[in-house]
Amino acid sequence: MVRKAAASLLLVAVAVLAPAHAQSLSDWGFDPGVLMADGRELVMRAPDASVDALFQAVHASSRSTQDSKVLCELFDPGAERTLEGYQRLASQLSESGRVRFADAVTNFFLAAAQNPRQPYDAAGAQQALKAAGVRAAILNDGFLAGLNGNEHASRCRSVGWLLDALQAQPVTERASVMRLLLSQGLDYLALSGNSAR
C-alpha cells in the first residue's frame, strides 16, 4: 500500500505540474511523459536535496486539513491509479499545495536531468524507514493498527505520524527513504502494468 502511494505521489506531482508548466518545460526541452517513462533513473539521479524537497511537499500537505484528505486517498487499497485519477486528486489540492508540488517536482526533474546517479544504500534506507516506523509506534498509540487496518481515517492518521517521524530524521535519511519508497512504488506500478498513461 505504501509502495503504491509513494509512486502515486510523484505522479500526482506530475499531474499538478503538467497543466501549469507544460509550456515552460517544453521550452527547456523537457517532456514530462518521456521523463516519467524512466522514473527509476530519475529517482536515482536526483540529489538528496531535490528528493527531500518532494518529501517536504508531501509532509507539508499532510499537515493541511484539505490536502491531507486528498493525499490520503492514495493510501486506500482501492485508490484509482490512472492519470485521470491523479489529475482529479491534484485538482483538489489547495492552491498552496499545488504550488508546493509544482515547485518540488520541477526542481526534482531539473536536478535529475543535470546529475549523475547518486550514492544510494537500499538496505540503509530500509533501516531508516523501520526506525521511523518504530519511532512513530512508540510516540503514537494505534499507529500500527491504523497503518495496517482498513479504516481510512486511522490509516491517514498513521501515515501522517510516519511522515512526522521521518521529518525528524536527517536530510540524507529522509531522502534515502523517499528514494526507496519511490523506487518500490515505480516497481509496483511496472509489475502491475499500470503506468502513467
Side-chain angles (χ1 to χ4, degrees):
M1 170 195 50
V2 174
R3 289 185 304 174
K4 290 187 268 187
S8 298
L9 289 171
L10 186 55
L11 296 172
V12 166
V14 171
V16 168
L17 177 68
H21 298 290
Q23 182 60 47
S24 61
L25 285 175
S26 62
D27 289 347
W28 296 337
F30 280 129
D31 177 352
V34 171
L35 287 173
M36 280 309 298
D38 197 8
R40 177 181 272 289
E41 186 65 20
L42 289 173
V43 168
M44 294 303 158
R45 291 172 56 108
D48 285 355
S50 63
V51 177
D52 187 55
L54 192 55
F55 170 82
Q56 295 301 332
V58 172
H59 185 255
S61 290
S62 77
R63 312 290 287 170
S64 156
T65 303
Q66 177 183 347
D67 292 348
S68 67
K69 287 179 184 176
V70 173
L71 293 181
C72 282
E73 287 186 40
L74 296 173
F75 291 93
D76 285 341
E80 181 185 352
R81 299 187 198 289
T82 64
L83 185 55
E84 293 77 19
Y86 299 135
Q87 288 173 331
R88 181 185 55 77
L89 286 176
S91 71
Q92 295 173 25
L93 290 170
S94 67
E95 178 65 24
S96 61
R98 286 193 299 273
V99 168
R100 260 193 311 272
F101 271 107
D103 289 347
V105 79
T106 299
N107 177 293
F108 179 88
F109 283 149
L110 286 171
Q114 297 172 357
N115 284 280
R117 275 185 165 244
Q118 302 296 304
Y120 173 62
D121 175 10
Q126 189 70 43
Q127 285 303 111
L129 179 58
K130 287 179 185 177
V134 168
R135 187 176 301 115
I138 290 170
L139 294 175
N140 303 285
D141 288 336
F143 168 75
L144 288 175
L147 193 63
N148 296 318
N150 293 323
E151 208 269 306
H152 175 81
S154 296
R155 184 183 309 111
C156 188
R157 186 174 49 250
S158 291
V159 168
W161 288 335
L162 180 60
L163 291 172
D164 289 345
L166 284 168
Q167 176 66 21
Q169 293 181 253
V171 171
T172 55
E173 286 186 24
R174 283 195 308 266
S176 183
V177 168
M178 189 68 167
R179 202 181 307 277
L180 172 74
L181 293 175
L182 289 170
S183 295
Q184 289 181 345
L186 289 168
D187 287 347
Y188 176 86
L189 290 176
L191 287 172
S192 70
N194 191 0
S195 60
R197 291 191 273 268

